[in-house]
Amino acid sequence: GAGVSQTPSNKVTEKGKYVELRCDPISGHTALYWYRQSLGQGPEFLIYFQGTGAADDSGLPNDRFFAVRPEGSVSTLKIQRTERGDSAVYLCASSSTSREDTQYFGPGTRLTVL
Amino acid sequence: SQQGEEDPQALSIQEGENATMNCSYKTSINNLQWYRQNSGRGLVHLILIRSNEREKHSGRLRVTLDTSKKSSSLLITASRAADTASYFCATIQGNNRLAFGKGNQVVVIP
């Protein structure tokens, strides 16, 4: 079946703007994760959904970042008042359950804040 | 905080040679996973080794785990140009979130 998809693949925005990044997980996967990867670094955890609820949002860097998953499938990561430091690749992953199952990653969205 | 930490290497090898990279971690684990990333985009899961395993093979990949030293190694045998990528180890923290190291860049020269 189809893997995890993310849109857009690239997003260029200006400082102070609002952006939304979308993730379509593998069908039937109940767990969904967002990570952020800066240049030369490994991915860092942002938020984890189990179904519709955010089970762990401890990785969100500040209150400008918010994510939703209203129907337990597609998720949207929302960033308000973007800053240049938000520039990174935002990766989404899904797994069939939360119990140490393999996480399948999407291709990521490269966000550039000018 | 990052738990998996690879030795910060950039390996450049000839096609056909073996590539070895290492990873250390700090806390107790149930398993350790290795991922590959091409061109800084999506990660591909390669192999998972559980804490009660010492060695695991998958095709040309061989992973070892030493829980007493909190370290793991990934060996790619008979490398190919298509193996050129960044390789990350990751451990699972609370709520199943992955903690990645900084990664090893491997370049296989045809």
Side-chain angles (χ1 to χ4, degrees):
Chain A
V4 178
S5 63
Q6 292 186 245
T7 55
S9 57
N10 287 283
K11 176 70 176 178
V12 180
T13 191
E14 294 179 342
K15 180 175 178 294
K17 299 291 188 182
Y18 168 82
V19 296
E20 290 189 352
L21 311 179
R22 176 186 168 109
C23 172
D24 279 88
I26 293 173
S27 178
H29 280 190
T30 59
L32 185 146
Y33 311 81
W34 284 98
Y35 296 85
R36 178 170 72 171
Q37 186 176 22
S38 300
L39 192 63
Q41 303 294 317
E44 293 186 319
F45 170 80
L46 294 176
I47 187 170
Y48 154 56
F49 287 90
Q50 182 58 244
T52 60
D56 182 355
D57 65 358
S58 62
L60 295 178
N62 52 60
D63 61 6
R64 295 187 297 105
F65 289 74
F66 189 71
V68 296
R69 195 186 185 199
E71 298 178 358
S73 179
V74 170
S75 176
T76 304
L77 178 66
K78 307 180 181 190
I79 311 174
Q80 298 177 322
R81 303 183 304 280
T82 52
E83 300 177 356
R84 292 192 179 89
D86 300 334
S87 296
V89 175
Y90 290 80
L91 296 162
C92 175
S94 70
S95 66
S96 59
T97 71
S98 65
R99 295 182 61 82
E100 300 183 358
D101 279 347
T102 298
Q103 295 183 24
Y104 297 87
F105 282 80
T109 294
R110 185 180 299 279
L111 176 65
T112 302
V113 182
L114 302 176
Chain B
S1 63
Q2 297 287 336
Q3 289 295 315
E5 296 181 1
E6 294 83 9
D7 287 350
Q9 294 185 36
L11 302 175
S12 183
I13 57 175
Q14 295 290 328
E15 202 166 29
E17 294 180 340
N18 297 340
T20 300
M21 57 208 87
N22 301 301
C23 164
S24 60
Y25 56 92
K26 297 176 181 174
T27 63
S28 296
I29 61 169
N30 290 326
N31 66 60
L32 184 142
Q33 306 178 36
W34 284 90
Y35 285 81
R36 183 185 73 222
Q37 186 177 42
N38 293 86
S39 305
R41 299 308 286 261
L43 290 102
V44 174
H45 182 263
L46 294 177
I47 194 166
L48 179 152
I49 185 165
R50 301 198 181 279
S51 59
N52 61 353
E53 298 176 307
R54 291 296 169 260
E55 185 171 314
K56 196 165 184 178
H57 296 253
S58 178
R60 295 183 294 111
L61 304 179
R62 172 177 168 255
V63 169
T64 64
L65 181 63
D66 187 336
T67 53
S68 67
K69 295 181 180 178
K70 290 186 167 57
S71 66
S72 174
S73 68
L74 171 67
L75 167 68
I76 305 172
T77 60
S79 63
R80 305 168 180 168
D83 295 330
T84 294
S86 293
Y87 293 83
F88 295 87
C89 74
T91 58
I92 288 187
Q93 306 303 303
N95 281 324
N96 210 36
R97 56 171 150 169
L98 292 170
F100 290 87
K102 293 182 180 179
N104 277 278
Q105 278 195 306
V106 175
V107 175
V108 181
I109 302 167

